Amino acid sequence: MSLTELNRRPDAPPAPLALAKAALFLDLDGTLAPIAARPQDVVPDPRRTGILENLMTGLEGRLAVVSGRTLCDIDRILEGRVAAVAAVHGLVRRDAGGAVTETQPHPAQPDAVAALRLFAAGHPGMLVEDKILSATLHYRGAPEHAQAARQEAERIAARTGLALQPGDMVVELRTPGPTKGDSVEAFLAHAPFTGAVPIFLGDDFTDEDGFAAAERLGGYGVLVGPRRHTAARLRLDDVNAALAWLEAGR
């Protein structure tokens, strides 16, 4: 998605969540859980787990988590409460029945991981996360080197053919393939999601494909966080506001 397509700056919150006809697609970091300094610092939370359990029942299974994290990491944080999951931004997808489809890693992924680790070694505070299908450079611990991190990732992407995906204080080099938006479309093509109104909650630029897909398929996106240009139609202030909105769904 190009920046020119992000033509809204929403400020209005969504109406109370009506579960009867909705299908929910939820990002994790920055939406269901606060952003942490390190990916491993995000842990299970009893309130969040209880909300997801209630939503799974109230939505009759029409709930999916669509995240950049790996499938194992999503299950760890959410304590396995959500059956349908799109992981690594859509490159791995587990349907409501438990069947998993996975894109084959690009042959250049190991080289990208090695190059990012070499770069991070010269910039204290940076972390490299190897997800097999993608490599993520986290520079939240070294924000003064943000531009250098982005430039290095651009050079690696140009050399390898990997897809470059910027995010909130991260830059990711991923195997080309399905996006979060593609995952929403794939879920909606099968039970129990078929015929439901898609609602996508997310906070980051990596969620824009999800917002656009929900809108295109008869639903809408909800931005979680500060007001900015986005394809989402509505907005919630932060993770606590998102959890409260989900918790109040009837």
Side-chain angles (χ1 to χ4, degrees):
M1 170 172 290
S2 69
L3 291 174
T4 58
E5 294 177 86
L6 310 184
N7 54 7
R8 298 188 177 111
R9 294 188 76 236
D11 205 29
L17 174 59
L19 301 180
K21 296 185 180 299
L24 282 181
F25 300 93
L26 308 176
D27 178 40
L28 204 169
D29 295 280
T31 301
L32 291 175
I35 300 291
R38 304 177 304 166
Q40 61 266 38
D41 293 338
V42 179
V43 297
D45 173 75
R47 180 191 179 195
R48 180 174 59 235
T49 298
I51 290 171
L52 294 174
E53 288 177 337
N54 291 336
L55 286 172
M56 282 292 290
T57 300
L59 291 164
E60 299 180 335
R62 299 186 304 277
L63 172 66
V65 167
V66 184
S67 169
R69 287 185 180 262
T70 64
L71 187 58
C72 288
D73 216 17
I74 294 167
D75 283 344
R76 172 186 67 83
I77 295 167
L78 304 184
E79 300 185 276
R81 295 306 197 273
V82 180
V85 171
V88 199
H89 306 288
L91 295 176
V92 178
R93 187 169 60 86
R94 183 176 68 202
D95 66 22
V100 176
T101 57
E102 184 171 339
T103 304
Q104 289 300 306
H106 190 286
Q109 283 292 166
D111 293 339
V113 171
L116 289 178
R117 284 180 172 157
L118 182 63
F119 177 79
H123 298 81
M126 291 192 182
L127 297 171
V128 176
E129 187 180 7
D130 181 4
K131 304 178 190 175
I132 307 302
L133 291 167
S134 76
T136 306
L137 178 64
H138 298 260
Y139 53 85
R140 191 173 303 278
E144 68 276 17
H145 297 302
Q147 183 175 357
R150 291 191 292 266
Q151 289 173 341
E152 178 65 13
E154 288 169 0
R155 284 191 288 268
I156 297 170
R159 185 176 76 243
T160 61
L162 294 169
L164 179 63
Q165 185 159 298
D168 183 4
M169 302 299 285
V170 303
V171 66
E172 191 159 355
L173 294 162
R174 69 191 291 268
T175 295
T179 65
K180 289 188 174 185
D182 295 326
S183 299
V184 171
E185 189 166 357
F187 282 129
L188 285 169
H190 301 282
F193 297 92
T194 310
V197 176
I199 304 170
F200 193 107
L201 270 67
D203 69 304
D204 199 357
F205 185 74
T206 60
D207 298 307
E208 292 296 336
D209 286 324
F211 296 151
E215 181 92 14
R216 185 175 67 252
L217 296 166
Y220 56 89
V222 179
L223 175 67
V224 178
R227 193 179 182 205
R228 64 168 173 81
H229 287 287
T230 177
R233 191 189 304 177
L234 300 160
R235 189 181 71 84
L236 291 162
D237 284 340
D238 51 27
V239 170
N240 282 334
L243 292 175
W245 184 75
L246 294 170
E247 201 167 31
R250 296 291 183 269

